[in-house]
Amino acid sequence: MVISSGRHAQHHTNNHHQPQNSHTSASRSSDYSAGSEPRATGNKWASRLLRECARAISDKDSSKIHHLLWMLNELASPYGDCDQKLASYFFQALFCKATESGHRCYKTLTSVAEKGNSFDSARKLILKFQEVSPWTTFGHVAANGAILEALDGENKLHIIDISNTLCTQWPALLEALATRNDETPHLKLTVVRTANIVRSIMKEISQRMKKFARLMGVPFEINVISGLNHLGELTKEVLGVHEDEAVAVNCIGTLRRVAVEERGAVIQMFQSLGPKVVTVVEEEADFSNTRYDFVSCFEECLRFYTLYFEMLEDSFVPTSNEKLMLERECSRSIVRVLACDDDQDSGGECERRERGSQWFDRLKEAFSPVGFSEDVVDDVKALLKRYKAGWALAQPHQNETGLYLTWKEEHAVWASAWKL
């Protein structure tokens, strides 16, 4: 996981980085109320102004773009309420889109994030998020349950972990293996290091995982694969898959980072590994079908991140530094989706999320769905009871598979399991 500094590009004005005085902001917004566009006051003012700006960019209305960007810059703040924060991060992406500076801004944000990354900060951020919200732990529990059931009775296990969770999923699985009634199996964990995880972090994680496995009494080895340009380069040989191993492929939050055109080939590559189970967990949003329609893509992006930011607001205390860091992480993703063309080299990964129904259509071409057992569903329900009210599970649509995590009745994350 990359921890972004949340800096804006150099051409942004300085006042955008400071908390705004609400009285000043309200007086500035009054200048805009004489026009036909919505006032920047009252409930959800940010979404109204942002939508107007997105439409103006789509229509190439330079006068309106300039005025709306000025308004957003005056009213936005990464330190304010939820509306001010949404305005802040979406302002950056809209500015980049309007000035065709998205790739430069994205590379700058990525570079700054990587320089500020460390094991301790990344670990603290992930663990705190898991403590206050099931956004990530939901997928861990569902995937672990499916993996343990699919590999039950096997003596040599090989889990190929292609995820962005810094191995925080695996201690619970190691504990479960240690308490199996039969002989404790040998576990080989192959972690495919994505481009945004620095080598020093994975070295520290590997050492800690080995130490924990020894403590649990589980025969264990961990290998880290790095230097890949894309997941399509993975093969049985690269991954070190042997014929006597029971293989599981675990993908949490990573398939969306594969270029849309390459997703089918990556799924076929998974099939070639002969896995006992493939687990896929993805956030519920469609930035794929909408990618050639800027306004539609913007609307979906705003819907998803509004849900995410409101969830963070509800989960953390207002002064939480971790909340601010998670919000700032979104800045790169929003710029990547809205201000960078997929056919240009942005120097980073794709951010084209797809909904569970879309992943279902892709995965069913190579695999058969495995429904989550009652035991796994009960484990997930028990997990949700540890968190604030508002979280629930939802069953998939007819003729689909998986399990949805919902927040205030909105689908947030989709988990699924597959077999050959």
Side-chain angles (χ1 to χ4, degrees), residues 138 376-382 384 390-395 403-407 411 413:
F138 156 75
V376 174
V377 173
D378 287 344
D379 287 344
V380 176
K381 287 179 178 177
L384 298 188
W391 297 101
L393 298 182
Q395 295 299 320
L403 199 60
Y404 286 98
L405 173 69
T406 68
W407 187 73
H411 287 191
V413 184

Side-chain angles (χ1 to χ4, degrees), residues 6-17 69 72-73 76 87-97 99 101 104-105 109 335:
R7 289 186 194 168
H8 293 304
Q10 292 179 354
H11 44 244
H12 291 250
T13 55
N14 291 333
N15 66 344
H16 181 57
H17 299 276
L69 285 176
L72 286 165
N73 190 46
S88 175
Y89 295 117
F90 274 89
F91 164 81
Q92 178 176 235
L94 291 173
F95 183 96
C96 290
K97 178 69 174 179
T99 58
S101 59
R104 184 170 68 250
C105 179
L109 290 170
V335 168

Side-chain angles (χ1 to χ4, degrees), residues 30-71:
S30 65
D31 294 338
Y32 197 62
S33 61
S36 58
E37 290 81 3
R39 290 173 59 97
T41 56
N43 191 33
K44 303 296 182 186
W45 61 264
S47 61
R48 294 199 297 273
L49 278 179
L50 290 167
R51 286 189 177 98
E52 282 292 311
C53 192
R55 283 192 288 268
I57 290 172
S58 180
D59 295 339
K60 295 180 169 42
D61 187 337
S62 58
S63 176
K64 197 171 182 181
I65 292 169
H66 178 81
H67 194 63
L68 286 162
L69 285 176
W70 179 85
M71 281 287 298

Side-chain angles (χ1 to χ4, degrees), residues 91-372:
F91 164 81
Q92 178 176 235
L94 291 173
F95 183 96
C96 290
K97 178 69 174 179
T99 58
E100 298 182 347
S101 59
H103 291 278
R104 184 170 68 250
C105 179
Y106 180 79
K107 288 180 179 180
T108 299
L109 290 170
T110 301
S111 176
V112 170
E114 289 175 349
K115 287 177 182 176
N117 213 346
S118 70
F119 172 77
D120 287 337
S121 62
R123 179 175 175 273
K124 182 181 178 183
L125 178 63
I126 289 177
L127 293 179
K128 185 62 179 179
F129 191 24
Q130 293 176 355
E131 178 187 325
V132 302
S133 168
W135 191 276
T136 56
T137 51
F138 156 75
H140 293 186
V141 172
N144 279 353
I147 290 170
L148 286 166
E149 290 182 352
L151 302 186
D152 186 39
E154 300 286 351
N155 293 320
K156 294 186 72 174
L157 316 182
H158 187 176
I159 297 177
I160 299 166
D161 184 25
I162 311 172
S163 65
N164 58 358
T165 57
L166 299 186
C167 291
T168 53
Q169 176 178 348
W170 304 122
L173 184 133
L174 283 168
E175 287 188 56
L177 291 177
T179 56
R180 277 191 5 179
N181 292 327
D182 52 357
E183 184 179 348
T184 303
H186 178 278
L187 172 62
K188 178 163 72 175
L189 179 64
T190 298
V191 180
V192 179
R193 185 172 69 88
T194 54
N196 62 355
I197 300 177
V198 296
R199 189 181 302 272
S200 60
I201 289 180
M202 283 311 306
K203 183 178 179 180
E204 178 73 22
I205 289 169
S206 297
Q207 292 172 347
R208 290 184 178 231
M209 287 294 297
K210 289 176 183 177
K211 183 177 180 180
F212 186 77
R214 285 197 299 270
L215 184 66
M216 290 290 103
V218 176
F220 178 77
E221 66 177 290
I222 181 170
N223 302 305
V224 178
I225 295 176
S226 58
L228 297 174
N229 292 317
H230 52 80
L231 290 181
E233 297 177 7
L234 291 173
T235 63
K236 265 189 177 183
E237 291 70 32
V238 170
L239 292 165
V241 174
H242 299 143
E243 294 300 325
D244 61 343
E245 295 174 338
V247 175
V249 179
N250 182 69
C251 297
I252 295 188
T254 46
L255 287 184
R256 66 170 178 264
R257 303 183 187 279
V258 177
V260 175
E261 301 76 20
E262 298 173 4
R263 290 175 182 179
V266 168
I267 291 170
Q268 292 294 327
M269 180 272 293
F270 292 162
Q271 185 185 43
S272 73
L273 302 175
K276 292 277 187 180
V277 65
V278 175
T279 49
V280 175
V281 180
E282 285 290 341
E283 294 166 346
E284 184 72 356
D286 179 10
F287 301 159
S288 174
N289 283 341
T290 60
R291 66 189 186 277
Y292 299 120
D293 181 341
F294 177 69
V295 173
S296 295
C297 186
F298 172 84
E299 289 282 356
E300 176 67 354
C301 198
L302 181 62
R303 179 203 65 78
F304 173 77
Y305 281 106
T306 298
L307 173 73
Y308 185 74
F309 273 57
E310 289 178 348
M311 178 274 298
L312 292 178
E313 200 74 22
D314 194 67
S315 301
F316 287 90
V317 297
T319 56
S320 168
N321 188 51
E322 288 81 16
K323 175 163 70 77
L324 180 62
M325 293 168 73
L326 286 165
E327 290 163 347
R328 286 177 170 177
E329 277 190 352
C330 298
S331 63
R332 286 184 307 111
S333 298
I334 296 171
V335 168
R336 182 71 174 90
V337 171
L338 295 179
C340 299
D341 295 329
D342 286 355
D343 56 357
Q344 287 184 260
D345 178 18
S346 66
E349 299 169 311
C350 179
E351 288 282 353
R352 296 293 177 189
R353 289 167 174 79
E354 293 187 307
R355 293 182 179 272
S357 57
Q358 294 167 286
W359 290 118
F360 173 83
D361 289 338
R362 290 186 184 279
L363 288 157
K364 73 178 182 181
E365 296 299 316
F367 298 99
S368 299
V370 180
F372 289 109

